[in-house]
Amino acid sequence: MQSGLINEVDAFIGSLRARGRSERTIKTYRSILTRFIDYLTVNGLVPDRVTAQDIDRFILELSKLGWEQNSLFTAAVAVRSFLKYLGHSIDYPLPKRPTRLPKYLTREELARLINACQDDYEKLVIGLLITGVRVSELVTIRVSDINIERRSVKVIGKGNKERVVFFADWLIPLLKRYLRQNNSEWLFPSEANPDQHVHYVTIERTLQRIAKRAGINKHVTPHMLRHTFATLSLASGLDIREIQELLGHSSLSSTQIYTHVDPERLRRKTDEFYRSLFAPRW
């Protein structure tokens, strides 16, 4: 039974890839579903007879192993989606997902990060990540996607949705110099095989090395720079719907969390509100 289910997982993963899901999501789902198959096998269960209680027990096992709430939510989504793919649409309420404010860098920390870069490659990584792109979008940028005159880059986001982001003018001379030495169709080719793009883990490690040099005592990730772009651009005056477009969010609710992040911005806004009322008489 297990080998048959593994084949079904492979087919499900293929459907995710066909719908443009990121390699990170695919890797996560495969890991979760491999555990789920083991759970079914040990308990003598088959997918079309799985109940909500069975999924609860599986999620509880993961919780006992120390999985955090966000990871448990992802596991429940993966299992429910897999069962639906197999034709078993089960009414299973997802676990509560904790709401956490996004972590981001301050302007001063971002400047330190850029100043700690040692070459054009590292500066390009930082400069393009702070346009709001996901790391999965960054690694798949082709040279042909870049329009230097317009300072724009075409990226392919979730669900194969295409959008355009814009980079800072200080990247223009750097980008021209970098492209003269790049013979690959990819902006960031793999060192091992220039016909392939770099792996996202390589970008993550590059970013961590730069952050260490900069003396930033935060776990700096590509997604933190995406949060940094959203937070600082909102504070600079970009409209929330404009930021939604640049981030590639399908729903405005995904973008609205950034309106609650920057305490300094909230202080300024409340000060403006108080001044607009009336001058106190005491």
Side-chain angles (χ1 to χ4, degrees):
M1 181 184 78
Q2 190 173 35
S3 61
L5 284 177
I6 290 174
N7 290 337
E8 294 288 4
V9 169
D10 288 340
F12 173 66
I13 293 299
S15 73
L16 295 180
R17 188 170 280 117
R19 285 179 285 177
R21 301 303 294 270
S22 72
E23 286 302 316
R24 175 175 291 188
T25 297
I26 287 170
K27 182 179 178 181
T28 300
Y29 273 39
R30 186 184 290 280
S31 175
I32 291 167
L33 294 176
T34 300
R35 286 177 177 270
F36 184 59
I37 289 172
D38 290 340
Y39 167 80
L40 295 181
T41 303
V42 168
N43 291 279
L45 297 169
V46 292
D48 60 356
R49 294 195 177 182
V50 168
T51 66
Q53 289 73 26
D54 293 324
I55 301 177
D56 275 339
R57 283 190 281 270
F58 173 65
I59 297 299
L60 183 59
E61 284 189 11
L62 299 181
S63 178
K64 289 178 179 177
L65 291 173
W67 285 42
E68 295 183 354
Q69 200 66 30
N70 266 328
S71 299
L72 296 177
F73 177 87
T74 302
V77 171
V79 168
R80 195 172 72 171
S81 299
F82 177 58
L83 292 175
K84 183 178 180 181
Y85 173 80
L86 296 179
H88 182 35
S89 296
I90 185 168
D91 183 18
Y92 182 73
L94 297 175
K96 186 175 181 181
R97 193 175 193 177
T99 301
R100 296 177 181 172
L101 296 179
K103 296 178 181 178
Y104 65 98
L105 298 179
T106 64
R107 294 178 188 275
E108 186 270 336
E109 288 171 329
L110 184 56
R112 282 165 53 195
L113 195 69
I114 295 171
N115 289 334
C117 292
Q118 293 182 335
D119 53 32
D120 289 349
Y121 177 90
E122 291 185 348
K123 290 177 182 176
L124 260 183
V125 167
I126 303 296
L128 291 177
L129 283 174
I130 58 173
T131 65
V133 298
R134 302 175 178 91
V135 67
S136 58
E137 297 165 347
L138 178 80
V139 299
T140 54
I141 293 174
R142 287 178 163 84
V143 172
S144 58
D145 295 329
I146 301 170
N147 186 320
I148 294 180
E149 286 69 31
R150 295 189 69 239
R151 291 187 291 108
S152 68
V153 183
K154 180 181 71 177
V155 295
I156 308 298
K158 291 183 177 180
N160 280 323
K161 292 181 181 178
E162 183 181 300
R163 74 181 190 282
V164 174
V165 297
F166 302 92
F167 54 85
D169 56 6
W170 60 267
L171 279 180
I172 293 176
L174 184 155
L175 190 54
K176 288 181 177 179
R177 187 166 60 242
Y178 175 84
L179 289 177
R180 283 197 293 269
Q181 303 169 13
N182 183 15
N183 298 317
S184 172
E185 68 170 307
W186 304 103
L187 180 62
F188 298 113
S190 165
E191 283 191 17
N193 182 3
D195 292 334
Q196 301 291 328
H197 62 71
V198 70
H199 197 276
Y200 70 83
V201 173
T202 302
I203 297 296
E204 290 176 340
R205 290 172 179 166
T206 298
L207 190 53
Q208 287 162 14
R209 287 196 298 270
I210 300 170
K212 185 176 181 180
R213 270 186 244 128
I216 297 174
N217 296 320
K218 292 179 180 178
H219 181 58
V220 181
T221 66
H223 216 65
M224 180 183 282
L225 291 190
R226 180 170 158 86
H227 292 324
T228 299
F229 164 76
T231 303
L232 298 185
S233 62
L234 182 66
S236 297
L238 261 70
D239 179 83
I240 190 71
R241 292 192 179 275
E242 294 170 334
I243 296 172
Q244 176 192 2
E245 177 69 22
L246 291 169
L247 292 177
H249 284 161
S250 57
S251 169
L252 185 61
S253 61
S254 300
T255 316
Q256 284 175 330
I257 188 171
Y258 298 107
T259 64
H260 306 289
V261 172
D262 187 355
E264 181 61 24
R265 179 176 183 274
L266 293 178
R267 185 191 65 79
R268 290 199 309 272
K269 290 295 184 182
T270 51
D271 281 351
E272 290 172 10
F273 165 71
Y274 295 140
R275 286 194 297 269
S276 71
L277 293 177
F278 50 80
R281 298 180 181 179
W282 55 84

